Amino acid sequence: SQELEQSPQSLIVQEGKNLTINCTSSKTLYGLYWYKQKYGEGLIFLMMLQKGGEEKSHEKITAKLDEKKQQSSLHITASQPSHAGIYLCGADNTGTASKLTFGTGTRLQVTL
Amino acid sequence: DADVTQTPRNRITKTGKRIMLECSQTKGHDRMYWYRQDPGLGLQLIYYSFDVKDINKGEISDGYSVSRQAQAKFSLSLESAIPNQTALYFCATSEGSGGATYNEQFFGPGTRLTVL
């Protein structure tokens, strides 16, 4: 099984709707990183969470970290076509920030 | 100009050929990484380097080798390419110095490799 599970694997939402993507680690989380990837392109860093209960927002995207559950959620409010892409979470399970383990990604489509 | 560049961007080659993918960065970062991305499998770490003299194997290093020619350059080689190495390859860098507790990685645009 994957060390870092993302759900759902894919998502189609209508423009204006809210959505949530989850990322669960089977190992202790020392840091959780969210990235966005446009199809076939490189990854763009969104935000990083390190402390339990931490919540960060950037424009209409909010990420939270539940340290006890070893889980993070990414919430998009009032989705727009520009939000379409693949969202990946990356986990620091080492505690030394030496490397990240990535989830399989969530493919998001936003319809008009 | 892009901070992390990869060459080539696309490559088609045949089974058994030797292939080198190159990565250069202008961010001044010490740490560099090579990943491959396959549909449904996310990113898998191939090799990573914390400085010119420090090279480490990742999850899937078999069939690959790397060279850290300078702080700014990290190349990935496939000594004898096989079809299941067809994938999208990414290079990434991070600042991470001793005692760092964060590892924001900056990614290149990727190289799409097809092995026939």
Side-chain angles (χ1 to χ4, degrees), chain A residues 1-88:
Chain A
S1 63
Q2 289 284 338
E3 294 178 358
L4 201 60
E5 296 273 359
Q6 276 188 244
S7 63
Q9 289 185 346
S10 64
L11 197 52
I12 302 173
V13 299
Q14 194 173 24
E15 184 177 5
K17 298 294 186 183
N18 303 335
L19 64 108
T20 299
I21 299 168
N22 292 304
C23 176
T24 304
S25 175
S26 61
K27 297 183 177 181
T28 302
L29 272 177
Y30 294 96
L32 194 289
Y33 299 73
W34 283 101
Y35 286 85
K36 179 187 175 186
Q37 180 184 21
K38 290 188 177 179
Y39 301 114
E41 298 182 12
L43 281 68
I44 304 298
F45 174 75
L46 294 176
M47 55 193 87
M48 177 194 71
L49 305 164
Q50 283 189 302
K51 300 176 183 177
E54 187 173 12
E55 181 175 322
K56 289 186 177 178
S57 294
H58 176 66
E59 297 179 342
K60 294 185 177 181
I61 301 176
T62 300
K64 300 179 185 180
L65 181 64
D66 186 332
E67 198 174 47
K68 290 182 181 178
K69 292 184 179 179
Q70 296 180 172
Q71 184 178 72
S72 178
S73 60
L74 185 83
H75 184 77
I76 298 177
T77 303
S79 58
Q80 301 169 351
S82 61
H83 288 128
I86 300 172
Y87 289 82
L88 294 102

Side-chain angles (χ1 to χ4, degrees), chain B residues 8-22:
Chain B
R9 293 294 312 278
N10 289 282
R11 182 71 184 267
I12 300 173
T13 191
K14 295 182 179 180
T15 297
K17 293 292 187 181
R18 183 179 188 274
I19 295 295
M20 180 181 286
L21 309 183
E22 299 188 351

Side-chain angles (χ1 to χ4, degrees), chain B residues 6 18-23 30-36 44-70 73-80 85 89-92:
Chain B
Q6 292 184 234
R18 183 179 188 274
I19 295 295
M20 180 181 286
L21 309 183
E22 299 188 351
C23 177
D30 287 326
R31 297 181 176 185
M32 298 187 75
Y33 306 80
W34 275 106
Y35 294 91
R36 66 176 277 174
Q44 296 175 279
L45 183 62
I46 306 172
Y47 272 95
Y48 59 107
S49 168
F50 286 175
D51 65 39
V52 175
K53 297 180 181 179
D54 182 30
I55 306 288
N56 303 279
K57 292 183 177 181
E59 310 164 64
I60 55 164
S61 59
D62 288 348
Y64 301 94
S65 62
V66 290
S67 173
R68 185 82 184 266
Q69 301 95 321
K73 296 183 182 296
F74 192 35
S75 59
L76 176 72
S77 293
L78 288 68
E79 296 300 326
S80 180
Q85 290 178 313
Y89 289 84
F90 288 106
C91 173

Side-chain angles (χ1 to χ4, degrees), chain B residues 8 79 103 107 109 112:
Chain B
E79 296 300 326
N103 191 2
F107 284 79
R112 187 171 296 279

